[in-house]
Amino acid sequence: MTATATRPQDAAPPATGGKRAPKRERQGAAWVFLSPWVLGAAVLTLLPMAVSLYLSFTDYDMFDAPQWIGFRNYTQMFTEDPRYWRSVITTLTYVVIAVPLQLAMALAVAIALKSVKRGKGFYRSAFYAPSLLGASMSIALVWRAIFNDGGSVDNLLSGMGIDIGGWINKPGWAILSVALLTIWQFGAPMVIFLAGLQQIPVELYEAAAVDGASWWRQFRSITIPMLSPVLFFNLVLQMIQAFQVFTPAFAVSAGKGGPADSTLVYTLYLYDRGFTASHMGYASAMAWALLLAIGVVTAVLFRTSRAWVFYANDNNEGGR
């Protein structure tokens, strides 16, 4: 009996448990599942953005048909409106005060919570709660009462011999009261910092302690470099949110940006132009200017991150 050799190409293919769907059918199924998101993004985001861009080149009061005026809104905004530039300066002042202090507070609390052995979940929830509550109008109104004449802060400082009065009635102090409300909402970046701290190897701190490094040296040479990606993420996120602050300034100033425009942040002035003065075309131009400004600031942060953000596989080459 002669054995017959079987060529590899004649061998039967292994069983796969069923035929695989063609690539076109798989793509079709993916688009079916993605369609709600795509439809929502198109109708609720892209279409309103396109309409807003068109309105920024028109004179539109929400009652009559838009009248095309070209770049007149942008020209008026940059060259003829002093309140616009006051709102820009107020917003930059707020960002410079609120963002660094909020991140510093979040990092300090995260470091403290890292060493807590019992009740860490409770403390984490307690410190995170202001991030959930602080954005509401009711909390902002309570904040206004606290910093008003005869409020808790005024009474406390008066009892210590410091007679400032209500902060919201003082042009030099009003924006600080708004910034403090944002600083108080440090829960979200704190949780992110805490997650990043837990990823730093303990062996690094042990080796540094053996070498006699102080707490500050360990913080500067280990914690900050190892935490720099998380710090960068929080910085970008909080910076974008800070440029769009609205509720605290609206509540503290009763929607007017006072006193003396000291709380007239950008979005509050945009609201005033669009919904109070019915200059929706001008407000649309302001919105697009804000979008471009945030894009530029974000691009600068990403560009400069190469010098101070370090990743585990970068071989000490920064963020590259």
Side-chain angles (χ1 to χ4, degrees):
M1 183 175 181
T2 305
T4 303
T6 302
R7 294 178 296 175
Q9 58 270 28
D10 295 335
T16 59
K19 294 183 179 180
R20 191 175 182 180
K23 183 178 180 180
R24 182 172 299 178
E25 292 183 7
R26 298 198 304 271
Q27 291 179 346
W31 278 109
V32 170
F33 286 106
L34 286 173
S35 59
W37 181 89
V38 173
L39 182 62
V43 175
L44 301 178
T45 302
L46 298 179
L47 180 60
M49 288 181 65
V51 173
S52 173
L53 181 60
Y54 165 73
L55 292 178
S56 69
F57 296 101
T58 66
D59 181 11
Y60 179 52
D61 59 3
M62 296 189 295
F63 299 101
D64 300 320
Q67 300 295 324
W68 183 267
I69 58 174
F71 288 92
R72 190 182 304 170
N73 285 327
Y74 294 94
T75 302
Q76 179 182 354
M77 184 169 55
F78 293 128
T79 62
E80 303 175 11
D81 189 354
R83 292 197 77 197
Y84 172 82
W85 288 110
R86 283 200 294 272
S87 70
V88 171
I89 294 173
T90 301
T91 303
L92 291 176
T93 303
Y94 167 83
V95 171
V96 170
I97 296 174
V99 174
L101 292 179
Q102 184 191 47
L103 294 182
M105 181 68 70
L107 180 56
V109 175
I111 292 174
L113 287 180
K114 183 185 176 184
S115 59
V116 173
K117 301 301 182 181
R118 295 182 179 180
K120 181 180 293 187
F122 169 77
Y123 290 114
R124 186 185 305 174
S125 301
F127 284 116
Y128 185 78
S131 294
L132 300 176
L133 303 175
S136 65
M137 178 61 73
S138 58
I139 296 297
L141 292 175
V142 171
W143 205 261
R144 178 184 178 183
I146 291 174
F147 286 93
N148 206 343
D149 288 329
S152 301
V153 174
D154 185 18
N155 293 333
L156 178 63
L157 293 178
S158 298
M160 299 171 60
I162 304 175
D163 190 11
I164 297 178
W167 288 23
I168 64 174
N169 298 319
K170 300 289 189 298
W173 293 87
I175 192 62
L176 182 58
S177 66
V178 176
L180 286 176
L181 179 55
T182 298
I183 297 169
W184 179 61
Q185 303 172 47
F186 62 85
M190 178 210 66
V191 172
I192 298 174
F193 277 137
L194 185 59
L197 288 170
Q198 292 173 344
Q199 301 302 315
I200 301 177
V202 181
E203 293 79 6
L204 296 178
Y205 294 104
E206 294 175 348
V210 171
D211 291 338
S214 63
W215 179 88
W216 174 250
R217 182 62 183 272
Q218 294 180 29
F219 175 78
R220 186 166 55 90
S221 301
I222 298 177
T223 304
I224 293 299
M226 295 295 293
L227 204 62
S228 58
V230 178
L231 179 61
F232 173 67
F233 174 81
N234 274 333
L235 176 61
V236 172
L237 201 63
Q238 300 307 316
M239 187 78 69
I240 293 174
Q241 292 181 359
F243 274 106
Q244 302 176 74
V245 63
F246 174 78
T247 303
F250 182 89
V252 167
S253 66
K256 299 179 180 179
D261 289 344
S262 59
T263 59
L264 186 68
V265 294
Y266 195 97
T267 53
L268 182 58
Y269 188 50
L270 188 154
Y271 172 86
D272 176 76
R273 293 293 86 195
F275 294 97
T276 303
S278 298
H279 293 165
M280 189 57 67
Y282 190 85
S284 299
M286 287 186 62
W288 277 94
L290 177 62
L291 176 63
L292 293 177
I294 293 176
V296 170
V297 171
T298 305
V300 171
L301 289 176
F302 271 91
R303 186 67 178 177
T304 57
S305 68
R306 300 182 178 185
W308 61 275
V309 178
F310 302 92
Y311 297 95
N313 57 349
D314 281 340
N315 297 323
N316 295 327
E317 294 182 2
R320 292 174 290 177

